[in-house]
Amino acid sequence: VNTQGTFVLQDYRQGSYYTQLALLFKQGQLGFHDTIGGDWAFFNGKYYLYHGPFPALVWLFIRTYFRELSMSFLSLSMLVTNLFIFYLIARKVSFIAEFEESKARILRFVILIIYGLGLPYYLAGKMFVYETSITFGSTFMLAALLFFLSYLVNDSKKQDLVKTGFQLAGIGLLISFAFLSRINLLLAFIPFLLAFVWKEWNVNKEKIRN
């Protein structure tokens, strides 16, 4: 492992950090008095996990109300969901771009394989706390992008205002889940906002012309 001068960490317990955090939440606690390994920030006498807490909440919810499962299995399930959503995005983009369906189908699978051998393949290697936070964050961000593409291509003049409001609220909720899983994904809100402003600007400009 080449850490390039940074802190050397070989901690096998990293795979249990989110489950430890979930059990803390269940006890009404946010941090430990004693550290259990790396990736815990010390503040005011306690150690806090500085990765997004949402994966721990999802695991705790499923474990409490449905069935017992490992965090690794949950992360792997999210990766499969990640790949599926990525394929749906590629399908929607090819539909928007009006590609020929026979060629678009081949291109979608090629892109899916390339993507799957990239980030998902890397993340599936360890499923530690770092990889889990990226898995959850990127999956919810892709889901937000999928629904946002649907919003962009819909004709706002014919779309029900209430339906649009619920659609945007759902997109915002998915972005929030992504942010609460991987905090720096908050930066990804900027292109969503710019695209939203661009569409509303064009719609209002068209209304003025008419």
Side-chain angles (χ1 to χ4, degrees):
V1 177
N2 179 14
T3 61
Q4 298 181 354
T6 59
F7 179 63
V8 177
L9 176 63
Q10 292 290 340
D11 191 350
Y12 65 91
R13 294 169 296 185
Q14 277 193 316
S16 67
Y17 285 176
Y18 268 129
T19 54
Q20 293 286 346
L21 182 63
L23 295 177
L24 277 177
F25 289 158
K26 191 173 183 179
Q27 298 168 8
Q29 302 291 326
L30 297 176
F32 285 101
H33 287 287
D34 297 316
T35 181
I36 63 168
D39 280 329
W40 294 83
F42 182 77
F43 175 75
N44 199 24
K46 284 188 176 182
Y47 291 90
Y48 300 91
L49 190 67
Y50 52 76
H51 292 276
F54 193 70
L57 295 174
V58 173
W59 178 83
L60 183 61
F61 177 80
I62 295 175
R63 179 179 182 268
T64 303
Y65 295 102
F66 294 97
R67 54 168 295 180
E68 184 79 32
L69 79 167
S70 66
M71 179 60 71
S72 296
F73 179 81
L74 179 59
S75 298
L76 183 60
S77 301
M78 290 296 291
L79 271 182
V80 174
T81 305
N82 188 299
L83 287 169
F84 179 69
I85 295 175
F86 185 85
Y87 174 79
L88 292 180
I89 290 174
R91 185 179 180 183
K92 183 170 288 292
V93 169
S94 63
F95 174 77
I96 295 172
E98 298 181 347
F99 290 160
E100 184 181 339
E101 180 57 26
S102 59
K103 295 180 179 179
R105 189 182 298 112
I106 297 174
L107 184 60
R108 285 198 298 266
F109 278 107
V110 170
I111 293 175
L112 181 65
I113 292 173
I114 293 174
Y115 172 73
L117 292 176
L119 180 64
Y121 181 75
Y122 168 78
L123 294 176
K126 291 190 296 182
M127 291 297 184
F128 283 177
V129 60
Y130 177 82
E131 290 78 18
T132 298
S133 66
I134 296 177
T135 297
F136 273 75
S138 61
T139 300
F140 285 114
M141 185 58 66
L142 286 177
L145 177 59
L146 177 63
F147 288 109
F148 192 68
L149 287 174
S150 298
Y151 163 76
L152 286 179
V153 299
N154 285 334
D155 188 355
S156 297
K157 293 182 293 184
K158 299 179 181 179
Q159 194 173 18
D160 182 73
L161 183 61
V162 176
K163 182 179 178 181
T164 302
F166 276 109
Q167 191 175 18
L168 290 175
I171 294 168
L173 188 63
L174 289 170
I175 294 176
S176 299
F177 290 161
F179 163 68
L180 290 173
S181 302
R182 189 70 181 167
I183 296 174
N184 56 3
L185 282 176
L186 181 64
L187 295 173
F189 178 73
I190 297 175
F192 280 91
L193 180 61
L194 292 176
F196 174 77
V197 171
W198 174 79
K199 179 180 179 179
E200 294 304 312
W201 170 269
N202 287 333
V203 169
N204 291 329
K205 187 168 59 174
E206 187 67 24
K207 288 180 179 178
I208 293 174
R209 289 177 180 175
N210 296 334

